Amino acid sequence: MKSILIPIKFFLCLGLINCSALNLEDERIHTHQLTEELHYKDTNGDNLFEHNVEYDHEAFLGKAEAEKFRSLTPEESKERLGKIVEKIDVDHDEFINETELYEWLKNVTKIELFKDTEKKWNKLIGKIDRNHDFFITENELRIWIRQQHRLDLQKETDKKWKKVNPKQDQYLKFDELIENTIGGSETWSNEEKENRKELYDSYLKMMERNKKRFKAADFDGDGKLSRTEYSDFLHPEESKTMRQIVIDETIEDLDKNGDGVVSLDVKTFGYLLLQNINFALVDLQKSLREDEAEPEWIQVEIENFKLFRDKNKDNVLDREEVNDWILPSDYDHSLNEAKHLIYEADENKDGKLSKKEILDSYNLFVASQATAYGKAIYEKEDL
């Protein structure tokens, strides 16, 4: 980096630094904003943007220090600024070069980010700590994680409800749902149906699945879905009344010979990967070449199938066994995540987490449902 020497006296004459000439845009984009202030501001509402010195003040001093400067007299401000400039002048040559200024701004930004993060962490931890004893127990974590999961589902449902129901009616009809998702059958020409037969067959299969799920979610049988019923349609695995449709769809995906059960032949039915509450289907026939050896995890899955999932040892999974597999009644995902976080972060092994233990395991928590994978910390909305 080229060296630009600026006499320290220059800062004292200026009264406060103006660092707008530095080219630090890339740093702002890839790390953290120097300040929430706008660098150029339309103060009079006339579309004429003027330089906003508050941006430079906060970028150079940090938000808290900038607030203190506003209450100082010009003489006090210069005296305080002189002490700061001495800290910036690392090589003590009584000049500030671009490198020194860059390092100072970067450190100020890091400090501001740390303060902001700690503030949000304190607020977050305070909400999890239900009995306000300054410790987080396994049960408090379980309740919080479950609440966050439900909140995420609610947000997703609200977002998709607006998409499938653009008129924002109180109820949603099946034709409206199809029109605003996969499209009606009239969108397919006869030529497309013939030339893209495999794709059209998949479309028909999806249409039939949507009909069955719509009917199952229509709890009062009035032929349309309320906002609550649509939530069940969208997340059937979360609804006790939709368990059977989840089992039906799982067997439909995995039952290749149509006998209503899932066979042990892993290569023919694929493997259902469970990840939290959501699941994805992997078709091994397509992913494995003829000469390719089966991955080790396939053998592990076969052994699990024999030992734990095929309870009556008839080499197939019937409806009851599929239910126990994908919707186990004795498995609590929120509790499992809470146990995992306690196990990993509990340094003194007292079965609960202090604020220090949580902050020491910062990276663990921002990758967890407990913070909605970091959103609860980084988003500006109130927790």
Side-chain angles (χ1 to χ4, degrees):
M1 182 180 290
K2 65 181 180 179
S3 178
I4 300 177
L5 299 179
I6 307 172
I8 288 178
K9 289 183 180 178
F10 174 78
F11 290 99
L12 300 179
C13 293
L14 184 63
L16 204 55
I17 190 168
N18 182 332
C19 56
S20 60
L22 289 178
N23 183 17
L24 298 174
E25 291 302 318
D26 289 341
E27 184 67 23
R28 291 175 202 150
I29 293 170
H30 294 299
T31 56
H32 184 69
Q33 289 184 350
L34 295 176
T35 168
E36 292 183 3
E37 288 283 343
L38 296 175
H39 206 166
Y40 291 90
K41 205 170 184 179
D42 179 12
T43 53
N44 300 319
D46 54 5
N47 291 324
L48 295 176
F49 288 83
E50 300 176 354
H51 177 240
N52 178 20
V53 295
E54 293 300 328
Y55 176 96
D56 299 313
H57 291 178
E58 291 191 10
F60 180 68
L61 300 168
K63 194 169 185 178
E65 191 67 19
E67 279 292 332
K68 293 178 182 178
F69 264 81
R70 291 188 186 104
S71 63
L72 299 177
T73 64
E75 290 74 19
E76 291 172 331
S77 183
K78 287 182 180 181
E79 181 182 356
R80 196 179 191 104
L81 180 61
K83 294 178 180 178
I84 292 175
V85 171
E86 288 175 4
K87 293 180 181 179
I88 303 175
D89 183 22
V90 178
D91 59 10
H92 306 295
D93 65 350
E94 297 190 353
F95 288 91
I96 303 298
N97 60 46
E98 185 176 309
T99 300
E100 289 172 327
L101 195 51
Y102 169 75
E103 290 298 327
W104 171 262
L105 289 171
K106 190 167 66 170
N107 288 334
V108 168
T109 303
K110 285 181 179 179
I111 292 171
E112 288 297 306
L113 177 59
F114 176 80
K115 288 179 180 178
D116 183 59
T117 302
E118 185 177 36
K119 181 180 177 181
K120 290 179 179 178
W121 264 111
N122 289 337
K123 191 174 182 180
L124 176 63
I125 293 171
K127 286 182 173 290
I128 302 174
D129 182 18
R130 297 168 68 87
N131 62 2
H132 308 295
D133 65 349
F134 302 105
F135 290 96
I136 306 298
T137 64
E138 181 181 287
N139 189 53
E140 287 172 330
L141 261 181
R142 179 189 65 81
I143 293 172
W144 173 261
I145 291 170
R146 185 58 181 163
Q147 288 175 343
Q148 292 305 295
H149 176 66
R150 288 174 176 168
L151 184 61
D152 284 344
L153 293 182
Q154 181 181 331
K155 287 180 179 179
E156 182 187 357
T157 300
D158 288 342
K159 183 178 180 179
K160 293 190 175 181
W161 176 256
K162 291 177 182 178
K163 182 179 179 181
V164 300
N165 185 18
K167 296 179 181 178
Q168 291 299 288
D169 295 330
Q170 192 173 357
Y171 296 97
L172 178 69
K173 296 179 180 178
F174 181 74
D175 290 344
E176 293 173 322
L177 172 70
I178 295 301
E179 180 183 350
N180 292 298
T181 51
I182 63 175
S185 58
E186 70 277 0
T187 61
W188 290 79
S189 65
N190 291 331
E191 184 179 355
E192 284 180 314
K193 292 175 184 178
E194 292 179 7
N195 296 338
R196 308 172 71 185
K197 188 177 185 307
E198 185 177 349
L199 186 61
Y200 183 64
D201 288 343
S202 296
Y203 166 82
L204 293 177
K205 183 179 178 181
M206 189 180 299
M207 175 74 80
E208 187 61 28
R209 171 168 290 192
N210 280 330
K211 283 182 181 178
K212 291 178 181 178
R213 190 185 284 197
F214 188 97
K215 185 176 180 180
D218 182 16
F219 189 72
D220 57 11
D222 63 354
K224 51 192 177 183
L225 299 184
S226 65
R227 166 63 179 72
T228 302
E229 289 172 333
Y230 176 70
S231 181
D232 287 347
F233 172 87
L234 202 59
H235 301 287
E237 72 283 354
E238 293 292 319
S239 170
K240 292 181 179 179
T241 62
M242 297 287 286
R243 294 180 74 92
Q244 294 306 311
I245 200 72
V246 176
I247 297 171
D248 288 343
E249 291 179 1
T250 302
I251 292 178
E252 183 181 326
D253 286 333
L254 304 181
D255 176 22
K256 297 302 181 182
N257 59 10
D259 61 357
V261 293
V262 179
S263 118
L264 177 58
D265 187 353
V266 180
K267 278 193 175 181
T268 60
F269 71 76
Y271 168 52
L272 193 63
L273 289 172
L274 290 176
Q275 188 176 35
N276 296 324
I277 296 177
N278 300 317
F279 47 81
L281 185 66
V282 178
D283 191 337
L284 297 180
Q285 283 184 318
K286 293 180 180 179
S287 63
L288 288 179
R289 299 189 301 269
E290 291 293 331
D291 58 344
E292 187 177 359
E294 289 182 348
E296 183 179 349
W297 61 265
I298 295 180
Q299 292 302 320
V300 171
E301 179 58 25
I302 291 175
E303 290 304 315
N304 286 339
F305 186 106
K306 292 177 179 178
L307 291 174
F308 306 112
R309 292 169 181 163
D310 182 19
K311 295 180 178 179
N312 59 11
K313 308 304 178 186
D314 61 355
N315 288 331
V316 295
L317 288 185
D318 56 30
R319 288 187 65 84
E320 183 178 347
E321 289 167 332
V322 169
N323 177 63
D324 292 340
W325 178 17
I326 63 173
L327 298 169
S329 58
D330 59 348
Y331 186 81
D332 186 328
H333 294 277
S334 300
L335 178 59
N336 189 58
E337 175 67 6
K339 285 180 178 291
H340 165 67
L341 292 174
I342 294 282
Y343 177 81
E344 294 291 341
D346 185 16
E347 295 175 3
N348 61 5
K349 303 303 177 187
D350 62 353
K352 55 189 178 182
L353 299 180
S354 65
K355 174 187 171 183
K356 181 180 183 303
E357 287 173 326
I358 293 176
L359 294 178
D360 287 346
S361 299
Y362 174 87
N363 289 331
L364 173 69
F365 278 83
V366 297
S368 165
Q369 279 185 298
T371 62
Y373 303 100
K375 290 180 182 178
I377 302 170
Y378 295 115
E379 287 184 351
K380 292 184 179 180
E381 61 187 49
D382 289 336
L383 297 173

